[in-house]
Amino acid sequence: MILVKQGEKMPIVLSIGGSCINPDGNPDVKFIRDISKLIKESNEKFGILVGGGSVARVYAKAARELGASEFDADEIAIMSTRQNAMLLLQAMKDFAYPVVFEDFKGARKAFFSSRVVIMGGTIPGITTDTDAVLLAEAIGAKKLINISNVSGIYNDDPKKNPNAKKFEKMSYEELASLGAASDKRMAGTNFVFDMLACKLLSRSKIEAHFVSKDIREIENAIKGKKHNGTVVI
Ligand code: UTP
């Protein structure tokens, strides 16, 4: 089902890493204001998925130390994604649907009356990468923009390997093989892009753009202009 009327533009999904909203326990209020302004001034429809970042990782780790199951570590991490989503919503109150959705059907319903809908995580065992692709499928988006503190997809971790090479363009299969190499399925562990999310991108042929939190980069990706990140098609 595609939720657009004739002549209307296709919606775009923005997957915003928790590390962009809250890099180290201190929310980046300037970034939140800037991205909200960009979205407000755009005439596109947006489904927004917000991640948990370091706060999710710290809580999942502490929970495990206290004997939590992986299910509960995930549940705690999901709360961090929703907290970040709620924070973002405060800057978008005058144009976004005023609720952080916890499920895709609710978000899809709200999309009929709102140009911008925001979600956090949903169920244990996945990450917000997968949630973002599922949201894209649910609302009929064919473009997903993944915003993180890394400026694209590299062949190795650019923070550890200064010679890591950034891909300008890559296929779903190439992205999936990188995802598989780092998929540990543990709360708060870092994937390039969740492997399940790669598979879902591929099955629905959703064009994915991986960019940094630089507002000009995000704007270029939204407007279909060239950016310095990676395009996966
Ligand atoms: P994120 O998607 O933010 O993880 O979810 P991440 O990939 O580590 O995030 P960034 O890109 O660095 O910000 C945080 C954690 O929340 C749980 C998982 O444990 C995940 O690792 N989670 C999230 C779920 O269990 N289900 C969800 O739907 C979303």
Side-chain angles (χ1 to χ4, degrees):
M1 188 193 353
I2 307 286
L3 296 183
V4 282
K5 299 183 195 102
Q6 219 176 4
E8 217 177 57
K9 285 185 186 172
M10 298 288 264
I12 296 174
V13 166
L14 300 182
S15 180
I16 308 178
S19 52
C20 300
I21 302 289
N22 186 341
D24 45 17
N26 278 315
D28 187 343
V29 173
K30 182 179 182 314
F31 171 75
I32 294 172
R33 281 212 182 99
D34 290 348
I35 193 160
S36 300
K37 184 167 178 281
L38 178 68
I39 291 166
K40 184 176 184 172
E41 289 170 358
S42 164
N43 57 5
E44 307 282 349
K45 291 184 89 170
F46 292 99
I48 302 177
L49 216 305
V50 184
S54 62
V55 180
R57 277 191 285 280
V58 166
Y59 269 80
K61 182 171 175 282
R64 276 194 214 102
E65 281 172 24
L66 292 168
S69 63
E70 286 305 315
F71 182 94
D72 282 345
D74 278 347
E75 285 274 87
I76 284 183
I78 290 170
M79 288 177 186
S80 300
T81 69
R82 291 180 182 153
Q83 185 179 40
N84 285 336
M86 189 74 183
L87 191 60
L88 179 67
L89 179 57
Q90 302 317 302
M92 298 191 180
K93 267 194 176 142
D94 57 334
F95 58 94
Y97 197 91
V99 162
V100 169
F101 283 93
E102 301 185 0
D103 73 293
F104 302 104
K105 286 184 184 165
R108 177 156 75 178
K109 210 164 150 195
F111 216 62
F112 276 109
S113 60
S114 247
R115 185 174 69 85
V116 179
V117 171
I118 302 179
M119 286 187 72
T122 54
I123 55 160
I126 59 174
T127 74
T128 52
D129 298 341
T130 294
D131 289 316
V133 188
L134 287 170
L135 179 62
E137 290 192 334
I139 63 175
K142 285 293 172 194
K143 178 163 154 180
L144 181 150
I145 302 171
N146 188 84
I147 303 158
S148 74
N149 56 8
V150 188
S151 64
I153 304 278
Y154 288 77
N155 63 352
D156 198 3
D157 186 344
K159 285 180 202 138
K160 291 181 189 146
N161 177 2
N163 297 320
K165 219 179 115 278
K166 183 160 70 183
F167 297 94
E168 197 176 313
K169 213 179 206 184
M170 66 196 299
S171 66
Y172 297 119
E173 292 71 26
E174 285 168 324
L175 181 68
S177 60
L178 278 181
S182 58
D183 188 354
K184 293 196 195 77
R185 298 244 147 245
M186 295 265 279
T189 52
N190 250 341
F191 314 133
V192 179
F193 195 60
D194 188 345
M195 209 174 83
L196 177 55
C198 299
K199 299 260 182 217
L200 298 177
L201 268 187
S202 168
R203 78 171 181 180
S204 291
K205 301 283 171 280
I206 295 165
E207 186 179 294
H209 297 253
F210 291 80
V211 295
S212 71
K213 66 188 279 193
D214 180 327
I215 294 294
R216 277 163 309 178
E217 288 291 289
I218 301 168
E219 186 175 9
N220 285 339
I222 290 172
K223 290 185 172 165
K225 294 185 180 166
K226 190 166 166 38
H227 55 73
N228 293 320
T230 302
V231 184
V232 181
I233 38 176

